[in-house]
Amino acid sequence: MHAIKNVLILGSGTMGMQIGFLCAAAGHDVIIYDAFDQALVNAQDRLRKVADSLIAHNRVDQDQADKGILRIKFTSDAVLAGKNADLMNESVPEDPKLKAKVFSQFNKICPEHTLFTTNTSTLVPSMIADATGRPDRFAALHFHDCSITNIVDVMPHSGTSKQTLDTILGFCKSIKQYPIELKKEQHGYVFNTLLTELLGAALSLASGQVASYEDVDRAWMGIMRTHAGPFGIMDSIGLETVYKATDYWAAKTNNAKGKQNADFLKTFVEKGNLGMKTGKGFYQYPDPAFLKPDFLEGIH
Ligand SMILES: NC(=O)c1ccc[n+]([C@@H]2O[C@H](COP(=O)([O-])OP(=O)(O)OC[C@H]3O[C@@H](n4cnc5c(N)ncnc54)[C@H](O)[C@@H]3O)[C@@H](O)[C@H]2O)c1
């Protein structure tokens, strides 16, 4: 198995930029490929901001960032991008057909030894494995917001070789990320599986009028000692995103409780109260009630 030196990132959007920078700051040579020249122009403009954000969160220091920036190249030339890659991480939009297309494209370009990984949030690797043309050298390697956490998910499919898995786990350590290794495929990995259940339960309590959403958050925050409860978290995700996912799964599984939760969220979405980004959701921003000392008065 080749040592991982050259990293290819597919997609220069939000995640591709963070992941590419993280790898470069850790000492890897990185090529960021995008099919759209304008996306690459925007990405190059954003590179310093991405670096500053990771420095501000103590993920990298100034010296690592400065040296890392010099190790990143941007291109829309697929052959140039792929010809020397040891590991590729794909961050194109969350569309299984598009992902299959780009993996198949790069299978023809990349050397035999190149390991392919996907940063998909919701799919599982077996859905794309055949299209990669190298299913034994393919797994999910999924990052969260790299400025706030060093937790990554490593999820093989049943055809991923042990050598591939071991190399990806070693690669995670080389870029100072802590890999959560999934032993079998799971939509949403570990964290989103937990979060989905938590948010669903919180919504059921409020939509079923068992407790107010403020009290649901109080219960969670007061006992778990966290800075936000499930409704505060939904405000930061964006209520239309939570609504769409809740509505989709309620319809797909014919789930009456899920439908009740979706209808509850819809009342906020229809008013344009989408959460933090619109200044109003369950709470008002920039100073939401749950961050004020009196929110948990009597508990502390
Ligand atoms: N945004 C997040 O918080 C987050 C977190 C974890 C994982 N993800 C996953 O990462 C992936 C990318 O998400 P994002 O938020 O970075 O998306 P994004 O929309 O910010 O970026 C996608 C990029 O892919 C490029 N692209 C489109 N078609 C392409 C093609 N054929 N070849 C190469 N590049 C192409 C676009 O030009 C764009 O620059 C998705 O699968 C998403 O589920 C996102």
Side-chain angles (χ1 to χ4, degrees):
M1 188 58 77
H2 283 66
I4 307 292
K5 174 70 182 147
N6 299 321
V7 176
L8 165 62
I9 303 289
L10 295 191
S12 64
T14 309
M15 291 310 294
M17 287 298 289
Q18 284 198 5
I19 299 163
F21 173 75
L22 198 65
C23 296
H28 294 288
D29 288 329
V30 173
I31 294 195
I32 299 181
Y33 166 83
D34 203 291
F36 301 96
D37 287 322
Q38 190 55 48
L40 286 169
V41 172
N42 298 343
Q44 288 175 70
D45 287 348
R46 289 199 325 274
L47 180 57
R48 226 339 125 186
K49 268 195 189 150
V50 172
D52 288 346
S53 165
L54 268 84
I55 294 168
H57 289 85
N58 293 322
R59 296 278 151 217
V60 298
D61 64 30
Q62 189 70 53
D63 185 52
Q64 290 166 328
D66 292 344
K67 289 186 176 142
I69 283 175
L70 300 175
R71 290 189 201 105
I72 302 177
K73 293 192 175 66
F74 293 89
T75 186
S76 59
D77 179 335
V79 173
L80 182 72
K83 65 179 185 182
N84 291 321
D86 298 313
L87 181 140
M88 179 249 272
N89 186 251
E90 164 276 317
S91 272
V92 305
E94 191 76 346
D95 169 353
K97 283 198 187 123
L98 176 64
K99 288 188 189 288
K101 198 180 102 186
V102 293
F103 276 114
S104 164
Q105 176 191 4
F106 277 88
N107 182 41
K108 295 184 193 100
I109 295 169
C110 291
E112 274 291 295
H113 75 268
T114 312
L115 299 184
F116 282 7
T117 63
T118 174
N119 186 40
T120 179
S121 300
T122 59
L123 311 173
V124 291
S126 58
M127 293 167 75
I128 322 167
D130 284 347
T132 67
R134 53 183 82 196
D136 57 319
R137 281 151 286 154
F138 173 62
L141 168 57
H142 172 251
F143 294 76
H144 300 263
D145 183 337
C146 303
S147 62
I148 59 167
T149 182
N150 65 344
I151 293 290
V152 296
D153 302 294
V154 175
M155 184 161 73
H157 65 100
S158 61
T160 307
S161 75
K162 177 160 178 351
Q163 202 178 24
T164 298
L165 178 62
D166 290 345
T167 307
I168 294 172
L169 291 170
F171 173 71
C172 292
K173 293 202 182 99
S174 83
I175 57 170
K176 301 185 178 60
Q177 302 299 292
Y178 195 100
I180 305 293
E181 183 188 341
L182 282 101
K183 308 286 186 197
K184 50 174 78 168
E185 289 192 320
Q186 168 72 29
H187 288 275
Y189 307 93
V190 170
F191 177 75
N192 280 339
T193 301
L194 295 169
L195 185 65
T196 305
E197 293 293 330
L198 172 69
L199 301 187
L203 281 166
S204 294
L205 289 166
S207 69
Q209 298 177 0
V210 177
S212 69
Y213 60 78
E214 292 93 338
D215 270 353
V216 173
D217 276 359
R218 274 190 192 96
W220 188 261
M221 292 167 67
I223 297 165
M224 296 303 289
R225 303 276 163 184
T226 57
H227 297 295
F231 289 95
I233 294 171
M234 284 185 246
D235 271 356
S236 70
I237 296 170
L239 298 190
E240 88 284 30
T241 305
V242 185
Y243 164 67
K244 275 188 200 152
T246 307
D247 192 50
Y248 172 82
W249 284 109
K252 197 168 163 99
T253 58
N254 202 15
N255 180 324
K257 222 175 208 176
K259 174 84 175 63
Q260 178 182 287
N261 292 346
D263 289 346
F264 176 73
L265 285 162
K266 200 175 176 185
T267 60
F268 291 83
V269 172
E270 278 180 345
K271 288 186 202 133
N273 296 338
L274 306 184
M276 207 181 271
K277 65 180 166 194
T278 59
K280 200 171 175 189
F282 292 110
Y283 299 94
Q284 304 239 27
Y285 297 84
D287 299 309
F290 66 82
L291 286 182
K292 294 184 179 150
D294 65 352
F295 192 70
L296 290 176
E297 216 168 285
I299 295 181
H300 287 298

